[in-house]
Structures are given as C-alpha cells and as structure tokens.
Amino acid sequence: MGIQENIKDVEEKIKASCEKCGRNPEDVTLIAVSKTKPVSMLQEAYEYGCRDFGENKVQELVDKYEQMPKDIRWHMIGHLQRNKVKYIVDKVYLIHSVDSLRLAEEISKEAVKKNVSVSILVEVNVAGEESKFGTTSEEAYKLVEEIAKLPNIIVKGLMTIAPYVENSEENKQYFEKLRQIYVDIVDKNIDNVYMEELSMGMTGDYEVAITQGATYVRVGTGIFGERSYTE
C-alpha cells in the first residue's frame, strides 16, 4: 500500500476507535512521524492532507521545515537537548518532550529572545522504563507547576511513550494512568496551564490510546512503513 492509502487506513481506525468509546474523531489529531524519511515521502502525505508532522531530531526538523510548505505544524517528539533549543523555538508548533525544568528554562529563555510563545507538553515516563526519557508520574505535577511560572512557554498537556508490547491492550494501564495525572492537574487549576492535549499512542497501540483519551497519536511505521536509517 502507498502512503496515502496507509493514512486513509489509519484515519479509519481512529474513527472506529472513537466510535467505540463515544468520542468525536475530530478531537484526535494524527501526527505523521516522518523521522528518517525523505521529503518526497512527506510531500505525498502532505498532498493527501496531512498537516501535522513529527520529528525526532532538531537538524532534521529544521531541514524539512525549510523545504516543506509553511502551513505545516511541526511537532518535536524526540528527546531535546538544551543546546539545540534555539534552532527550533520559532519553528515548532508543539514540543512534546519536555522532561525537566532545565530544558523548560532554556525553551523559555530562547522564546523570550525570539519574541515567540512556545507550546509544550510535559513528557511523563509512566511505565518507569530506564531506557526512556520523561519525568516520573510523581514529579509530573510539580514540574508542570514550575514550568507554568516561566515566560513565553505554555503547558498544553502531557505526553508519554508506552513500552513496546506485542499486545497493545497491555499499554492501556499506562494510558489510563497518564489520563489520571492529566485530570489531577486540570483540577489544580494552575495559572498559565491549558490542559488540552494528551499525546499518547503510536503505530502499535494508538487505537487503545484513543479509548483512554489521546488527543494526539504519533504514527510513523503505520504511514511510511519501516523506518530506514540509510539517508
């Protein structure tokens, strides 16, 4: 199947998952995760109607930003190093992977310099995997509270990367837990925190994530096929 058929297929599955749990499919945004993929493939997805693209690396995001149409919403979904923040603050629509106050401070500092406001999600390592970035479930609230005090940065919600599992149902507990943390933070009514987004679910488990309230699903392999590292 081609890229456009793949996107259509994913969209249909999103719709079916939403119907199953009584949600409006318009409340779920599909991010085409285009890391390691050439611009020609992104172009194909763009022509189909995709406007949200996710990248893992700053350099790649910047390169593609320069080459692709300007109405694209770029999502930084990979681990972000503080020394690279300055390259993307004025180019990204949303940074999904803010996992420390030091990173948030850097984003705020660069955003003030460039006179932009940057929307971010706090990344929570719900499953507590050692190989993954993200703040702990216990620390998430405190981190959101601290970040909310910084200028030119807006907390829009939470993100998690669930473990790789054969049976996607196994990740339901982690999506449920992230949603619970999200609800708790909403209840606290913190200034400058607009809890609107839950970024969770990837190719293997986005249908389960949707039943637990995901507003962003990040699909790479399901759209572009297996990733290639040859470029």
Side-chain angles (χ1 to χ4, degrees):
M1 283 208 313
I3 289 170
Q4 300 195 350
E5 287 91 345
N6 288 345
I7 299 170
K8 197 166 183 288
D9 181 53
V10 172
E11 284 179 344
E12 276 163 12
K13 285 179 178 160
I14 290 173
K15 202 165 159 234
S17 299
C18 285
E19 275 164 13
K20 206 164 77 178
C21 61
R23 292 184 65 198
N24 180 350
E26 284 172 21
D27 294 340
V28 180
T29 301
L30 170 62
I31 298 174
V33 177
S34 45
K35 57 182 181 182
T36 78
K37 299 298 175 196
V39 166
S40 57
M41 286 175 98
L42 277 72
Q43 201 64 50
E44 222 177 305
Y46 179 87
E47 278 156 22
Y48 175 84
C50 262
R51 290 298 177 270
D52 290 88
F53 289 86
E55 287 292 333
N56 257 38
K57 295 202 158 49
V58 167
Q59 188 56 55
E60 204 173 338
L61 189 149
V62 172
D63 289 348
K64 288 173 178 173
Y65 175 90
E66 303 298 350
Q67 296 177 64
M68 295 287 291
K70 289 296 167 264
D71 60 340
I72 286 176
R73 293 180 289 263
W74 292 100
H75 298 260
M76 179 65 194
I77 58 177
H79 180 62
L80 179 57
Q81 292 164 308
R82 297 201 307 280
N83 62 351
K84 300 218 168 125
V85 167
K86 56 179 173 286
Y87 302 116
I88 60 163
V89 283
D90 53 351
K91 296 179 178 67
V92 285
Y93 177 72
L94 185 63
I95 298 174
H96 291 233
S97 47
V98 177
D99 57 0
S100 71
L101 184 58
R102 285 171 73 193
L103 174 58
E105 286 168 346
E106 191 61 37
I107 292 169
S108 168
K109 189 181 92 183
E110 291 298 336
V112 168
K113 257 191 223 173
K114 292 201 161 127
N115 201 15
V116 290
S117 270
V118 182
S119 297
I120 64 122
L121 304 180
V122 167
E123 180 174 357
V124 187
N125 185 352
V126 184
E129 289 186 283
E130 279 183 23
S131 60
K132 299 241 169 81
F133 293 101
T135 184
T136 63
S137 303
E138 296 70 39
E139 291 288 311
Y141 167 66
K142 195 170 172 303
L143 182 56
V144 167
E145 211 176 22
E146 292 295 319
I147 294 173
K149 298 171 187 161
L150 300 170
N152 295 45
I153 191 168
I154 306 152
V155 182
K156 283 285 181 75
L158 305 174
M159 179 269 235
T160 196
I161 299 174
Y164 178 76
V165 288
E166 290 295 324
N167 173 10
S168 59
E169 284 295 324
E170 288 173 31
N171 279 338
K172 187 176 169 186
Q173 54 175 324
Y174 302 121
F175 299 143
E176 227 169 353
K177 193 169 174 192
L178 191 74
R179 182 174 173 75
Q180 198 44 62
I181 297 167
Y182 171 91
V183 170
D184 291 346
I185 293 172
V186 170
D187 289 346
K188 301 272 200 302
N189 237 331
I190 311 165
D191 277 351
N192 199 26
V193 172
Y194 304 87
M195 281 300 204
E196 294 161 2
E197 310 296 354
L198 270 176
S199 170
M200 55 190 195
M202 288 152 67
T203 296
D205 55 18
Y206 66 87
E207 291 165 85
V208 176
I210 287 168
T211 66
Q212 299 309 308
T215 61
Y216 277 118
V217 293
R218 312 178 302 269
V219 180
T221 312
I223 291 175
F224 298 108
E226 289 301 326
R227 54 182 95 149
S228 57
Y229 289 109
T230 47
E231 270 95 55

